Amino acid sequence: MERLIIKGGIQLHGEVNCSGAKNAGLPILASTILFDDPISIFNLPHLKDISTMLELLNSMGSEIRFEEEDGIEIDSSSIKKPEARYELVKTMRASVLVMGPLLAKYGKAKISQPGGCNIGSRPIDFHLAGLQKMGAKITTDSKFIYLEAERLNATNFEFPKISVTGTENLIMASVFCKGTTVLRNCAREPEVVDLINFLNSAGAKIKGAGESVIEIEGVDKLKKVGWSILPDRIEAGTYLVAGAITNGHVRVKGIESNLLEPVIQKFREMGVVVNSGKNYVEVDATTTELVSCSLDTEPFPGFPTDMQAQFMALNSIAKGVSMIAENVFENRFQHVVELQKMGADIQLDGHKAKIVGVSNLVGSSVIASDLRASASLVLAGLVGKNRTEIEDIYHIDRGYQCIEEKLNKLGAEIIRQPAI
């Protein structure tokens, strides 16, 4: 196990490059199961979750070859074992994304019960209900979900609650269905749009990208294509918060402002200057006295739940009182106790947090409980007096590529070392 040690109180300046989006890469990697030809995917981030998905595909029989410029060629034409093993699925919930394409292509799937970050209930009942309506026979036991379908059928299905991975799974499952499948109350996130654009480039017929109603007209097969993954809006937003929380000036390259509109709006409410242009967004807080701002997390195009913890850290040193309502996951305030150790004044009331800004935070020894909580503790450490030690950082490596290297490039002083 490793830990990060952060020297706080350093103003950050400079620019960093945005990596590809994990949450776009995972479903697109899963969708390669649908193809008869090798597929080249570019701009994949070097992350634990991506490695886990590649290991999962490889364990089923996919052949993987690494190419130049962060490219990977995946040949899933001869999968022999359509099974998502427990030791892989337990570490990454997104492993369930292979369910839809396996059923569509091979007519069966065996999926271990999902795991991942402990941030609340994320049942896959919606996935299963949709697949069942398409004709899949589903049985379960304490460890596995078994799915079979001689052929999936086009259907109409409405998600009881918006689900990103549910939307992606049913889109992939519907690609070869004869007729037109209509999905309602779909997730509208850019990462879902990226999956749709990728599949359409390969010959799929999917309408409604970025809308709540998606129509999939079945096709017989998909053609060979290459694809570059969408930039990671959450990584970009995190580095912009790093600039704001240290009263610095940080530019993130490789990202368009339209992916960050709800986040940019909150920065401006807090008094942070935000500039953007072709292929970059930057924050300038060098003359800013941060002012608290309240926010409610919502599915896209609302404020992203994956930026909630980072903005809680930012609000903790802003002037005034703010309220944060977490409306997506019911257990996503695990970072609060750790921020309180660092001097943050935060009170919880159910799914809401009241934050009273303090003049500064103090370095402490804290524990990362999930991916985005890890990011909030790194941000707090950047501004905290003295030294912060963050344990259990394997969470952060699931979603941030070389976070200490990128922050050090901006002037931070962070070292990674084995935990004692």
Side-chain angles (χ1 to χ4, degrees):
M1 201 74 71
E2 295 178 314
R3 63 179 177 173
L4 293 179
I5 298 177
I6 306 171
K7 179 183 177 182
I10 299 173
Q11 194 178 49
L12 301 189
H13 291 273
E15 60 184 33
V16 291
N17 292 317
C18 186
S19 303
K22 170 180 80 86
N23 290 338
L26 293 173
I28 287 175
L29 287 175
S31 76
T32 64
I33 294 169
L34 298 167
F35 290 79
D36 293 329
D37 299 302
I39 300 300
S40 294
I41 308 295
F42 300 95
N43 198 38
L44 281 167
H46 299 287
L47 299 172
K48 179 60 178 174
D49 276 10
I50 295 294
S51 299
T52 300
M53 180 62 81
L54 291 172
E55 186 179 354
L56 173 57
L57 291 170
N58 184 248
S59 73
M60 294 190 293
S62 299
E63 296 180 4
I64 298 168
R65 186 171 68 86
F66 292 88
E67 300 178 333
E68 296 180 358
E69 299 179 5
D70 291 330
I72 291 179
E73 183 185 76
I74 304 175
D75 185 350
S76 298
S77 60
S78 57
I79 284 179
K80 300 175 180 64
K81 193 175 183 182
E83 175 182 335
R85 301 199 322 259
Y86 171 74
E87 61 266 28
L88 297 175
V89 178
K90 73 176 182 178
T91 65
M92 186 185 70
R93 189 176 188 83
S95 301
V96 299
L97 285 166
V98 301
M99 235 178 358
L102 282 175
L103 265 179
K105 184 75 178 293
Y106 296 98
K108 59 182 178 179
K110 178 182 176 183
I111 310 294
S112 179
Q113 298 284 3
C117 279
N118 181 26
I119 57 175
S121 175
R122 292 183 287 175
I124 61 169
D125 298 357
F126 307 156
H127 307 230
L128 300 178
L131 292 171
Q132 198 164 33
K133 197 167 183 186
M134 295 170 69
K137 296 179 181 178
I138 302 171
T139 56
T140 64
D141 58 30
S142 59
K143 290 186 177 180
F144 290 98
I145 303 165
Y146 305 88
L147 305 99
E148 287 188 26
E150 187 172 329
R151 182 179 178 88
L152 293 175
N153 305 308
T155 191
N156 288 276
F157 181 77
E158 181 169 350
F159 290 95
K161 183 179 179 182
I162 293 173
S163 167
V164 172
T165 54
T167 300
E168 292 165 340
N169 234 336
L170 294 193
I171 287 171
M172 291 185 284
S174 304
V175 165
F176 298 140
C177 289
K178 187 176 181 179
T180 301
T181 295
V182 180
L183 304 177
R184 303 182 188 278
N185 198 29
C186 295
R188 301 165 60 189
E189 271 72 3
E191 295 77 17
V192 177
V193 175
D194 205 37
L195 171 66
I196 293 172
N197 290 341
F198 165 65
L199 292 173
N200 281 343
S201 75
K205 296 181 179 179
I206 307 170
K207 297 179 181 178
E211 300 175 10
S212 61
V213 179
I214 295 174
E215 297 183 4
I216 307 102
E217 182 183 342
V219 297
D220 292 330
K221 66 177 297 183
L222 299 175
K223 65 183 180 181
K224 183 176 182 177
V225 292
W227 193 257
S228 185
I229 297 297
L230 183 81
D232 192 329
R233 60 195 171 104
I234 305 302
E235 184 200 50
T238 300
Y239 291 127
L240 293 174
V241 173
I245 203 168
T246 62
N247 287 115
H249 188 171
V250 168
R251 172 177 289 195
V252 179
K253 296 167 61 179
I255 188 78
E256 301 292 341
S257 61
N258 65 303
L259 294 174
L260 288 167
E261 286 179 1
V263 173
I264 289 172
Q265 178 185 340
K266 292 301 175 182
F267 275 130
R268 287 177 171 154
E269 285 182 30
M270 298 184 76
V272 178
V273 176
V274 182
N275 298 309
S276 63
K278 184 173 176 56
N279 219 31
Y280 78 88
V281 177
E282 67 177 12
V283 296
D284 184 355
T286 51
T287 59
T288 298
E289 182 181 21
L290 290 170
V291 178
S292 294
C293 86
S294 297
L295 60 91
D296 293 8
T297 66
E298 300 287 352
F300 191 87
F303 190 90
T305 179
D306 281 352
M307 286 298 301
Q308 176 257 109
Q310 297 91 313
F311 266 76
M312 184 176 289
L314 187 59
N315 268 306
S316 69
I317 62 159
K319 185 178 180 180
V321 179
S322 59
M323 296 291 298
I324 292 180
E326 175 53 65
N327 299 314
V328 179
F329 295 120
E330 75 275 13
N331 193 28
R332 209 164 199 182
F333 282 147
Q334 296 180 71
H335 47 284
V336 169
V337 172
E338 306 303 313
L339 290 173
Q340 288 170 335
K341 289 181 186 178
M342 302 179 71
D345 185 348
I346 306 171
Q347 298 174 11
L348 292 182
D349 182 10
H351 71 107
K352 294 183 179 181
K354 178 182 177 182
I355 305 105
V356 180
V358 296
S359 60
N360 210 339
L361 300 176
V362 179
S364 182
S365 178
V366 292
I367 299 173
S369 57
D370 63 67
L371 172 53
R372 305 307 172 185
S374 304
S376 74
L377 299 180
V378 171
L379 295 168
L382 290 173
V383 74
K385 293 181 179 178
N386 305 320
R387 189 171 86 160
T388 295
E389 298 179 5
I390 305 177
E391 307 285 350
D392 290 355
I393 62 168
Y394 66 90
H395 288 289
I396 207 164
D397 292 333
R398 291 184 49 233
Y400 292 91
Q401 179 177 318
C402 306
I403 189 169
E404 72 273 20
E405 293 180 18
K406 289 190 176 184
L407 289 171
N408 286 344
K409 184 180 177 183
L410 298 172
E413 293 187 16
I414 307 174
I415 60 172
R416 178 185 292 247
Q417 64 177 214
I420 297 174

